Amino acid sequence: MIKRIISFFFFFIISYLYSQDVYSEVRKKYWSFEENDQRAFIYLNKNIVKAKSEQNHQELFQAYKDAILFSKDKKIEYADSAIVAAKQTGNSDFIGDSYLSKGAIYYFNYREFQFALNEYLKAYEYLKDSKNGFLKYQNLYHIGVIKSYLGYYKEALQIFKECIIFFESQTKFDLHENLIYNNTKGYLNSLHQAIICYQALGKFDQADQLLKKAEQSTPKNKDFNLENSYFKKSIGISEFSKGNYTQAIKEFDLALPSLIKVNDFTWASYVYFYKGKSYTKTGNPDLGVRNYKKVDSIFNKYKFILPELRNNYEELITYYKKKNDAENQLYYTNQLLKVDSVISSDFKYLSTRIHRDYDTKSLLEVKEDLEKTNSFGKILLIICIVIILLLGALVYYRSRKQKQIQQKYSQLLIKMEEAKVTENIEISLKYDVSKNVKLDKSIVEKLLNDINNFEMNKGYLEKGITLKKLSDQFKTNTSYLSQVINEYKGNNFNTYINILRINYATQKIYDDREWRKYSIEHIASASGFSNRQSFSNVFLEQNGIRPVDFIKNRIKETEVT
């Protein structure tokens, strides 16, 4: 009997190892394909089918993650499938990695920063205690990238410095060649992002020092063509800042091919803009305009643009104004209005920091003058006046609403202070167990003590807490507990729980700077609510102000002080 058990055990181990080896062998066949090459699915689908049939969730997660790389237009779908498979494994590293992959798609492929950040924060929850340093710092790197794009360059720089130290250290150990490769990528990309931050902060000497380091560290082979392009782009920016425009153009031309190949439209548009500026500076405005138009073409296709590239349209408007070309001047004025709309939507906290030679009002006035030259000028003029009046009414409404929000915010702060005083007084007083509750005093005292412990331990943050669950926890019945809560807390059970949760969320947002960076969904979940809408509605009902407005006002208040 023992021999049979041992034989079966060895058979199981050998079968398992053979199974894993089959996955690896198939992976070798498709791993030689380049990104977005869908021929890889001829082999990749075999691993997906095999993993599903064997319910091998770890290999299924890996297969879906590989599918993200080779898919052209279903990356998000495969990312969602990878998340489901990762959760089936119960492994925090896999789950965090799957959210990280989805965030990278939102960032790199769609430039949806808010969506990307939400996924990175989910990944962080699973990876913050991980022993896998690579995953932790990869996640940290992506959060730094979002901070950098949103204009928080100093904060982002500190993150990238930490990433540089970690990834560089990992390239010096005797590790598997794949790990060395991945950590080298992480190190070089962290260098690139740090250089971006230094250049944005006007610290070009520090940026140049990192560029020299990058030149020495970047392997000269096709696996690192993209990283080489990033550094060529950054060298071009450095040369532009020194007034070496011809050399800047040469560096930009070296950077472009790899950026175009992987469709990195963000940095491609960045290069086209500064290439156009370089031509303009050297007295070749026509070549400059040719490059500015490429930026506009990218904007039309992806509806995305960096705030720094807003000047692209001012250059085009100025160019056609000198040419007395009203038609093109009007077109690029309209494009600039669209750009401002995108920037103000995607970069709300940055829009006030952008230097503008044309604010929205003056742009509308220019638009009016230009449209007068067209055959339908009078009609369009009337439409513009109506738009301006509507905008004026909107500005008035928003101003009035903002004052009301500020008033509600001030009232909430007073309410919070009063609550603290009341809480301190109540702590020193015992509950009057002789209130109108038809229960034995000993039962009332026990339940009040249980309720007090429940509040102290923040048991109300548990999602799905019900009167039945709590009464079971207190070893009593729902009728007794309901009577005590109604009499001593002055509300029914659901209202009582919501009040505790909202008070908790309000105080955390007020006191904790990190909470003010979270999404409303994240705050709602952390406060025990099942969804954003119910949290927002209860917050408004209880505090007289929506959570998003409370956060904005608290941020303004802390920035002033």
Side-chain angles (χ1 to χ4, degrees), residues 251-451:
E251 299 294 342
F252 292 143
D253 284 337
L254 290 172
L256 274 170
S258 291
L259 298 177
I260 294 170
K261 185 176 182 180
V262 299
N263 193 30
D264 190 340
F265 57 84
T266 297
W267 291 120
S269 63
Y270 191 84
V271 168
Y272 284 132
F273 171 66
Y274 276 100
K275 188 178 173 184
K277 290 275 285 185
S278 299
Y279 275 124
T280 301
K281 292 285 187 181
T282 56
N284 292 296
D286 291 344
L287 287 176
V289 166
R290 188 180 301 174
N291 283 277
Y292 298 145
K293 286 183 175 181
K294 290 180 180 179
V295 177
D296 181 56
S297 178
I298 291 172
F299 172 71
N300 283 333
K301 185 173 182 179
Y302 297 101
K303 295 300 180 286
F304 172 82
I305 193 166
L306 293 171
E308 188 175 348
L309 304 192
R310 184 184 188 279
N311 181 247
N312 185 80
Y313 290 93
E314 293 168 356
E315 292 284 347
L316 285 165
I317 291 168
T318 301
Y319 176 84
Y320 284 110
K321 190 173 183 179
K322 290 178 181 178
K323 296 276 188 182
N324 292 320
D325 187 336
E327 183 178 350
N328 274 308
Q329 195 182 346
L330 173 60
Y331 171 76
Y332 289 113
T333 298
N334 280 322
Q335 288 295 91
L336 183 49
L337 286 168
K338 291 178 185 177
V339 165
D340 279 345
S341 175
V342 169
I343 291 173
S344 131
S345 173
D346 291 344
F347 299 87
K348 290 180 182 177
Y349 16 86
L350 282 181
S351 58
T352 56
R353 297 171 53 192
I354 299 169
H355 175 72
R356 294 181 177 178
D357 292 330
Y358 293 84
D359 61 19
T360 303
K361 183 178 178 181
S362 64
L363 282 172
L364 287 169
E365 290 172 353
V366 170
K367 182 178 177 179
E368 275 184 35
D369 293 336
L370 291 170
E371 288 175 334
K372 287 179 184 177
T373 63
N374 295 329
S375 57
F376 298 103
K378 290 183 180 180
I379 297 173
L380 293 174
L381 177 60
I382 293 170
I383 293 172
C384 287
I385 291 171
V386 171
I387 291 172
I388 291 171
L389 290 173
L390 289 173
L391 286 173
L394 180 62
V395 169
Y396 172 76
Y397 169 76
R398 289 185 64 181
S399 175
R400 184 179 174 185
K401 185 179 178 183
Q402 196 59 44
K403 287 180 181 177
Q404 291 174 344
I405 290 172
Q406 183 60 46
Q407 185 180 10
K408 294 289 185 181
Y409 176 75
S410 300
Q411 290 172 353
L412 178 54
L413 296 189
I414 294 170
K415 177 183 172 184
M416 289 170 68
E417 288 299 320
E418 290 174 348
K420 284 184 180 178
V421 174
T422 304
E423 183 181 349
N424 291 333
I425 294 172
E426 286 180 348
I427 289 171
S428 64
L429 296 175
K430 291 184 178 179
Y431 285 112
D432 179 7
V433 296
S434 63
K435 284 192 174 185
N436 188 27
V437 178
K438 296 178 181 179
L439 296 175
D440 187 271
K441 288 184 179 180
S442 63
I443 295 175
V444 175
E445 286 178 345
K446 177 191 177 297
L447 287 178
L448 288 174
N449 185 56
D450 288 339
I451 290 169

Side-chain angles (χ1 to χ4, degrees), residues 190-240:
S190 298
L191 272 181
H192 172 231
Q193 291 295 335
I195 290 166
I196 291 169
C197 291
Y198 275 129
Q199 290 179 335
L201 293 168
K203 297 181 178 181
F204 288 97
D205 289 341
Q206 289 93 325
D208 287 344
Q209 289 174 13
L210 290 187
L211 281 168
K212 289 178 183 177
K213 199 172 182 180
E215 174 64 25
Q216 298 166 358
S217 308
T218 310
K220 302 300 185 291
N221 61 58
K222 67 176 184 178
D223 290 334
F224 293 89
N225 281 347
L226 186 58
E227 286 73 22
N228 272 303
S229 292
Y230 288 149
F231 295 129
K232 290 294 182 185
K233 176 265 301 176
S234 297
I235 292 170
I237 297 297
S238 181
E239 293 295 336
F240 178 87

Side-chain angles (χ1 to χ4, degrees), residues 117 121 147 155 512-519 551:
L117 185 57
L121 291 175
K147 282 182 173 288
E155 291 180 25
D512 194 330
R513 183 169 177 266
E514 290 302 314
W515 268 60
R516 295 192 287 274
K517 297 177 184 177
Y518 294 159
S519 67
I551 292 170

